[in-house]
Amino acid sequence: MSGPDLPLDDEGLVRLQKLLAASGVASRRKCEELMLAGEVQVDGEVVTRLGTKVDPAAARILVSGRRLPPVSPHVYLVLNKPRGVVSTMSDPQARRTLGDLVADRPERLFHVGRLDTDTSGLILLTNDGDFAQQVAHPSFEVDKTYVAEVDGEVFPRTIKQLLEGVTLDDGPVQVRQAKVIAGRHGRNQPGRSVVELVIHEGRNRIVRRLLEHVGHPVRQLTRTSIGPVRLAGLRTGEIRELSAGELGDLLELAAL
């Protein structure tokens, strides 16, 4: 996501309203109105003077409270990882990897965090090493949503147990949200349920271990969102770029 192609002055600066308009915020006139209304901040300061110049690659710009991503040569991608794909860019055992799915991309990409080989769903890829490291760091407590098909019928008491907190061998787990979204309980077949969990944990196989701990081993697991980024509409194995809004929100959450 390189951002708009802007004519810069000799110091590498551009007029703020021109940057906002070129970034798709609104028309030039509307961007000027937003500035005059005090809706635009640059590096923590409200900017109302029309003609103010900024560095489009370095300035931290907020418009009506939403972060505008900097102009950058980096790319930020969303992948719907299939089951059976290893969350590495290469593998000495010749297993299918994330790298195989983006082999046609010219960039040297990093994966942001991991998904178990047998877990499908949303994973981020980028050639921005600082972004990848910061967003994957344990201190980056962004909510991640998972949908799991599990054995057995999940009753309200189990949901309550999850929300009250569960302690595993490597420490407690805080579940932000939990609900049953489907169930299949026929007379002549064992019960199965589909549950949705929201957590910010990133420990190894945390969702599988959590659900097994409360008596419901996982049969299938998919990550459907990371913070503001949603999987909806992205088919298995497909890739898309983060929208400017998604990237801006992630940059703010990660304090980048």
Side-chain angles (χ1 to χ4, degrees):
M1 181 172 180
S2 59
D5 185 14
L6 292 165
L8 306 178
D9 67 14
D10 292 341
E11 296 180 337
L13 304 180
V14 64
R15 289 179 183 270
L16 179 55
Q17 63 263 44
K18 182 178 289 188
L19 172 61
L20 298 180
S23 298
V25 172
S27 67
R28 178 88 67 89
R29 181 182 295 275
K30 180 61 178 177
C31 289
E32 292 175 349
E33 292 174 359
L34 288 169
M35 290 176 63
L36 293 171
E39 292 292 318
V40 180
Q41 291 185 31
V42 178
D43 297 330
E45 300 290 334
V46 174
V47 175
T48 57
R49 185 173 66 83
L50 301 180
T52 296
K53 292 187 175 183
V54 298
D55 181 343
R60 179 176 171 272
I61 300 170
L62 299 181
V63 181
S64 301
R66 294 287 303 276
R67 175 76 176 271
L68 185 73
V71 174
S72 164
H74 295 125
V75 298
Y76 304 89
L77 306 174
V78 185
L79 167 67
N80 186 351
K81 184 186 91 66
R83 291 180 68 187
V85 172
V86 182
S87 287
T88 59
M89 301 312 292
S90 62
D91 182 64
Q93 301 177 40
R95 294 174 294 180
R96 194 180 184 208
T97 68
L98 299 174
D100 295 324
L101 299 176
V102 293
D104 60 339
R105 301 281 313 193
E107 307 90 0
R108 179 171 179 261
L109 296 169
F110 309 93
H111 51 89
V112 181
R114 308 175 75 88
L115 279 176
D116 302 331
T117 302
D118 49 357
T119 298
S120 63
L122 195 156
I123 193 164
L124 303 176
L125 299 165
T126 183
N127 60 349
D128 183 344
D130 291 338
F131 176 87
Q133 184 175 27
Q134 184 76 355
V135 174
H137 195 275
S139 63
F140 181 65
E141 296 187 352
V142 65
D143 285 344
K144 303 176 182 70
T145 304
Y146 296 84
V147 173
E149 180 182 337
V150 301
D151 286 339
E153 183 173 358
V154 178
F155 294 101
R157 63 176 177 269
T158 302
I159 297 297
K160 184 173 183 290
Q161 179 185 1
L162 288 168
L163 292 173
E164 288 177 346
V166 172
T167 300
L168 302 177
D169 291 342
D170 55 353
V173 183
Q174 181 184 7
V175 178
R176 302 287 182 92
Q177 299 176 41
K179 63 182 179 181
V180 178
I181 58 177
R184 297 199 294 273
H185 314 293
R187 178 179 298 177
N188 298 316
Q189 67 180 40
R192 293 189 189 179
S193 301
V194 180
V195 297
E196 182 179 86
L197 299 180
V198 179
I199 64 173
H200 67 253
E201 291 278 357
R203 282 180 273 166
N204 186 43
R205 299 179 71 82
I206 188 70
V207 176
R208 293 178 183 274
R209 292 191 289 126
L210 176 66
L211 289 168
E212 185 166 6
H213 182 85
V214 297
H216 297 282
V218 172
R219 287 181 168 266
Q220 291 190 46
L221 182 63
T222 299
R223 182 160 66 194
T224 58
S225 73
I226 299 175
V229 186
R230 303 286 184 266
L231 194 63
L234 197 64
R235 292 181 295 183
T236 300
E238 283 191 338
I239 298 169
R240 67 170 175 85
E241 290 196 4
L242 283 179
S243 69
E246 290 170 333
L247 178 56
D249 289 346
L250 280 176
L251 291 171
E252 280 299 284
L253 287 169
L256 286 169

